[in-house]
Amino acid sequence: MSAAPGPPGGAPVLLLDAASLYYRAFHGVPSSLTAPDGTPVNAVRGFLDAVALLVDVHRPARLVACWDEDWRPAFRVAALPSYKAHRVGADGAEDTPPQLVPQVDVIVRVLAALGLARAGAAGHEADDVAATLAARAVAAGGRGPVLVVTGDRDLFQLVDDRAGVGVLYVGKGVRRAERVDEAWLRERYGVDGRGYADLAALRGDPSDGLPGVAGIGQKTAAALLARFGDLAGVRAAAADPSSDLPAGQRRRLLEAAAYLDAAPVVVRTVRGAPVPEVDGALPAAPADPGALAELTERWGLGGSVQRVLAALERARTP
């Protein structure tokens, strides 16, 4: 069993970037896994198996599946129209594989029947939900460390060793997850959690439609941030003719002024999103055993559901 060790300090609060997990399950688990009627359930089963593994390894005190209520929020598009524009389908919605769409609804219903918490925020992405719930957990205190489970590097900005917030990065799969703390970030990116959003803005991210600053890659961005402190400091140096910033970098930064005005709105998570209050305590028993049994039979989820139930039972056992 893997999934990387959890953070020190007691039972963690696990915040799952749900879309990241079910997309990876959809693409990583064979579509030959089907319901009795032949409908693919690879994303459902992969997602549930990931939850079971995470609960078994980390024995969380609380778990919340963070949901995209809006995968491309209007406030981010207004700031930067290219944000995720390449993912927009012909109907204006997210270009999602047809075989995945119905599986997401099944995941929602199974989570509800199990009694596992799910939370979203109108007009916001799951990243904002995770950031908000992490901030609330830190403010509440006494609830153990926070571990955000994601395959999205954007959430590295939440890493804060002193606050007890880490990321479990599942870019290589849940079983090969990497525990991300500030030392991990400094080794790979040259910044800590607080600096990661500024790094991403300077470097750009084609997967999200962020062009970055021409000619400034990851190493140069990290060096600029190490020298000038943050994005505001880098921009101030570029605007100051007396600074010893190389002429080429100065020119590129000044030419990218409009982009750099907008990028922080897109890149930085919202830590005060309107997320309803959610406890996230692990259920002592399924919230709706009848519905769970019906869903299990209808979609052929027996093994996966049983693994989640067994993991939850073990997590409740001292």
Side-chain angles (χ1 to χ4, degrees):
M1 186 179 293
S2 184
V13 177
L14 280 187
L15 302 177
L16 311 184
D17 180 359
S20 178
L21 291 176
Y22 64 63
Y23 263 97
R24 288 176 185 278
F26 178 78
H27 290 293
V29 178
S31 59
S32 57
L33 288 179
T34 62
D37 67 356
T39 305
V41 289
N42 54 329
V44 183
R45 289 182 57 176
F47 180 88
L48 292 174
D49 287 345
V51 170
L53 178 62
L54 290 164
V55 171
D56 248 339
V57 171
H58 298 283
R59 302 295 177 94
R62 290 170 173 77
L63 181 150
V64 181
C66 302
W67 219 255
D68 278 328
E69 292 296 339
D70 191 336
W71 70 281
R72 191 171 180 250
F75 72 91
R76 290 194 167 105
V77 176
L80 194 69
S82 65
Y83 181 58
K84 295 185 178 179
H86 59 294
R87 302 190 208 173
V88 179
D91 60 355
E94 185 175 13
D95 188 13
T96 305
Q99 290 184 325
L100 174 58
V101 174
Q103 296 192 60
V104 175
D105 180 61
V106 176
I107 292 171
V108 169
R109 294 164 64 192
V110 173
L111 287 173
L114 284 166
L116 290 172
R118 184 175 68 91
H124 290 78
E125 301 175 65
D127 289 12
D128 303 315
V129 177
T132 297
L133 292 179
R136 288 181 187 174
V138 170
R143 291 193 170 193
V146 177
L147 195 54
V148 180
V149 184
T150 185
D152 185 351
R153 293 181 300 169
D154 290 344
L155 285 169
F156 290 169
Q157 67 186 276
L158 301 184
V159 172
D160 185 336
D161 288 358
R162 286 178 295 180
V165 179
V167 164
L168 188 65
Y169 182 56
V170 297
K172 298 178 182 178
V174 175
R175 292 188 177 277
R176 299 173 63 193
E178 298 174 88
R179 171 80 170 86
V180 178
D181 57 14
E182 290 183 357
W184 190 99
L185 286 176
R186 283 191 292 270
E187 179 182 347
R188 287 161 179 78
Y189 296 100
V191 295
D192 57 14
R194 183 175 56 182
Y196 189 83
D198 288 347
L199 176 80
L202 287 165
R203 176 198 63 200
D205 186 348
S207 68
D208 279 341
L210 274 71
V213 178
I216 294 184
Q218 182 173 298
K219 288 184 178 180
T220 302
L224 287 169
L225 292 169
R227 183 177 178 190
F228 298 109
D230 57 16
L231 181 58
V234 172
R235 298 191 69 185
D240 181 1
S242 67
S243 77
D244 59 355
L245 194 69
Q249 290 181 2
R250 182 193 310 279
R251 175 177 52 79
R252 294 185 185 105
L253 287 163
L254 292 175
E255 288 174 349
Y259 161 74
L260 290 174
D261 286 342
V265 177
V266 175
V267 174
R268 291 174 185 158
T269 55
V270 176
R271 305 193 182 199
V275 183
E277 291 298 325
V278 56
D279 181 74
L282 299 187
D288 191 336
L292 184 61
E294 181 181 341
L295 288 163
T296 299
E297 182 177 0
R298 165 67 181 86
W299 299 104
L301 306 176
S304 295
V305 167
Q306 287 305 313
R307 281 188 282 278
V308 173
L309 292 173
L312 290 171
E313 177 63 30
R314 286 189 288 269
R316 292 191 299 268
T317 303

